[in-house]
Amino acid sequence: MKKKKAVVYCVTGSHIQLAAVSIASVVNTYEGNEPLDILVVVNELGNEEILKLKSISRLYGEKNVIITIWYPPKIINEIKNYSNSRFPEVTLWRLFLPSYFSNYDYILYLDNDTIVYDDVSNFFDLIPDQKSIAAVRDFYFSVISDTEDSFKYFGVKTMKNYFNSGVILFNVVVFNEQIRPEAIVRMINKNEYLYLDQTILNILCERSVELLPYEYNYQKDDHWLFDWAKNVNPLKFLKIEKARKNIKIRHFVEFEKNSMPWEHLSIQDRWEKDFWNYLYEIKSTSLRSGKQ
C-alpha cells in the first residue's frame, strides 16, 4: 500500500506572498509520478488572495500537484493568553499538523520563507521508520553550542542537537503514538520557553529526531556565514560552507536588521534572486489572468 504524503504550510496575513514563492518552488521542482498534496492552513477560507494560491499548481505546466486550503485545527482554541508579536500564534499550528492530518503517513512542514531546490519526493525517505520527525540543527546554536551550551534555558539535554522548526518532516503515525495534542496545549499555555513552537518540538522529540544535513534547511546568508560563523567556530563553518554548495531548501532566517530579501533593495545572492524571480512570475501570471 502506497504511503500518503503531503507538504503543509500555515499562512496568515502578508506572509501569503512568501508562501506563494515557496509553493511555486515545490511545484516547479516536483517530478514525482504520484499525486502530491499541498495543504495550506489559513485563518480565513474566503479570501480571494488565498484562493489564488491554488492556481500555482498550474504555473509550471501539467504537474501532478493538488493544492487545497484548510482552516486551522480546532484544538488551537484551547491556547490561552498567548501573545507574541515576533512569533504569533500561527507559528504554533505546526505542532498539531500530525493529529490534524492523521490520514497521511508523512507530512513535510515548510515555513513560508523557504525555497525548495530538489524534488520533495526525495525528502520523504529521509526519516527512519522508528523516528517521529526529521529536522536540521539550528545554525546559530550549532555554531555557538561548542563553547556556550545554554540547554538549561530550553529544557533539553544539549543545544548541540537543538533543531530549527522551519523544515520538519513528520512521521505521522509514530509522532501521534508518542505525543498527544493535549500535552502540546499544556506546554504552550505554560509558555516557559523562548522560540516556543521550536523548543516544544525539541523537548518532545529529543530522543526521536533524525538530524538531517545542513543543506535540507539552509538558514543563513553569506554575511552570517563568512563574517560571523567563520570566526566563532571554524570547524562548523566548514561543514555549513560545504552544505552551501548543495542547498536542498533555502530558509531565510534573519541575522541582522534588514537581512531578509524583502527588507532591502539590492539582490545579494542567487537565492534572493530566485525569490524575486518566483514572486515576479506569480504576480505576472495573476496580472494576466486578471485582464482576461
Side-chain angles (χ1 to χ4, degrees):
M1 186 175 177
K2 289 183 178 180
K3 302 285 188 179
K4 285 193 69 178
K5 305 163 186 175
V7 177
V8 184
Y9 296 86
C10 299
V11 187
T12 58
S14 61
H15 282 194
I16 186 172
Q17 295 189 98
L18 309 186
V21 167
S22 185
I23 291 169
S25 72
V26 171
V27 174
N28 186 33
T29 55
Y30 185 65
E31 297 178 355
N33 295 319
E34 296 178 23
L36 176 68
D37 289 342
I38 299 180
L39 317 177
V40 185
V41 183
V42 301
N43 55 353
E44 53 178 324
L45 284 180
N47 188 318
E48 186 179 335
E49 290 282 286
I50 293 293
L51 296 177
K52 286 180 180 177
L53 288 177
K54 298 176 73 172
S55 67
I56 296 175
S57 63
R58 302 187 299 273
L59 197 58
Y60 301 98
E62 290 298 322
K63 298 282 185 119
N64 206 358
V65 177
I66 303 157
I67 301 173
T68 54
I69 313 297
W70 298 77
Y71 275 127
K74 289 183 179 179
I75 196 168
I76 68 167
N77 295 325
E78 298 178 24
I79 298 173
K80 307 299 181 186
N81 303 317
Y82 181 82
S83 178
N84 189 316
S85 58
R86 185 181 177 191
F87 301 106
E89 187 182 282
V90 63
T91 62
L92 303 172
W93 297 357
R94 75 195 70 188
L95 302 176
F96 303 102
L97 296 177
S99 58
Y100 191 34
F101 298 114
S102 59
N103 56 317
Y104 287 90
D105 297 289
Y106 299 103
I107 289 172
L108 175 63
Y109 166 81
L110 296 174
D111 266 359
N112 299 319
D113 50 358
T114 55
I115 297 180
V116 174
Y117 287 93
D118 192 16
D119 183 350
V120 293
S121 301
N122 300 324
F123 297 168
F124 295 105
D125 294 330
L126 296 172
I127 185 167
D129 291 342
Q130 73 276 15
K131 297 293 182 73
S132 61
I133 66 170
V136 175
R137 289 178 175 88
D138 184 275
F139 275 27
Y140 172 78
F141 288 110
S142 184
V143 167
I144 204 73
S145 61
D146 284 349
T147 54
E148 182 184 321
D149 196 331
S150 53
F151 64 92
K152 62 183 179 181
Y153 299 108
F154 291 86
V156 294
K157 291 183 178 179
T158 176
M159 297 301 287
K160 295 181 189 298
N161 295 326
Y162 184 87
F163 55 83
N164 181 277
S165 63
V167 177
I168 299 289
L169 179 57
F170 290 99
N171 187 345
V172 173
V173 172
V174 175
F175 187 94
N176 287 336
E177 285 175 350
Q178 296 180 356
I179 300 163
R180 300 301 305 157
E182 296 80 11
I184 295 172
V185 170
R186 287 194 295 271
M187 292 184 74
I188 291 172
N189 288 336
K190 287 182 179 179
N191 201 358
E192 293 179 331
Y193 301 104
L194 193 62
Y195 317 125
L196 192 58
D197 69 280
Q198 186 164 278
T199 302
I200 286 174
L201 271 179
N202 271 273
I203 292 170
L204 294 176
C205 301
E206 189 169 21
R207 293 184 177 181
S208 61
V209 60
E210 177 73 9
L211 292 167
L212 301 176
Y214 291 119
E215 58 262 30
Y216 285 95
N217 180 0
Y218 192 92
Q219 300 152 38
K220 297 291 189 178
D221 61 16
D222 284 352
H223 175 38
W224 178 89
L225 180 63
F226 292 101
D227 299 329
W228 185 81
K230 186 176 182 180
N231 296 322
V232 174
N233 192 330
L235 291 177
K236 285 286 171 63
F237 158 77
L238 291 174
K239 292 181 179 180
I240 296 173
E241 185 190 30
K242 182 180 179 182
R244 181 184 178 276
K245 299 172 184 176
N246 186 33
I247 292 176
K248 306 292 187 182
I249 300 175
R250 175 70 170 96
H251 180 196
F252 295 105
V253 177
E254 65 183 353
F255 172 43
E256 293 178 342
K257 268 190 173 183
N258 302 321
S259 62
M260 308 296 259
W262 49 92
E263 293 178 336
H264 50 256
L265 188 58
S266 61
I267 293 178
Q268 298 181 352
D269 56 46
R270 63 182 181 271
W271 301 288
E272 290 196 357
K273 182 179 179 181
D274 289 340
F275 173 85
W276 290 115
N277 283 340
Y278 272 121
L279 189 59
Y280 176 79
E281 194 161 6
I282 293 162
K283 287 180 177 287
S284 297
T285 302
S286 176
L287 180 64
R288 289 194 297 270
S289 62
K291 288 181 178 180
Q292 293 174 358

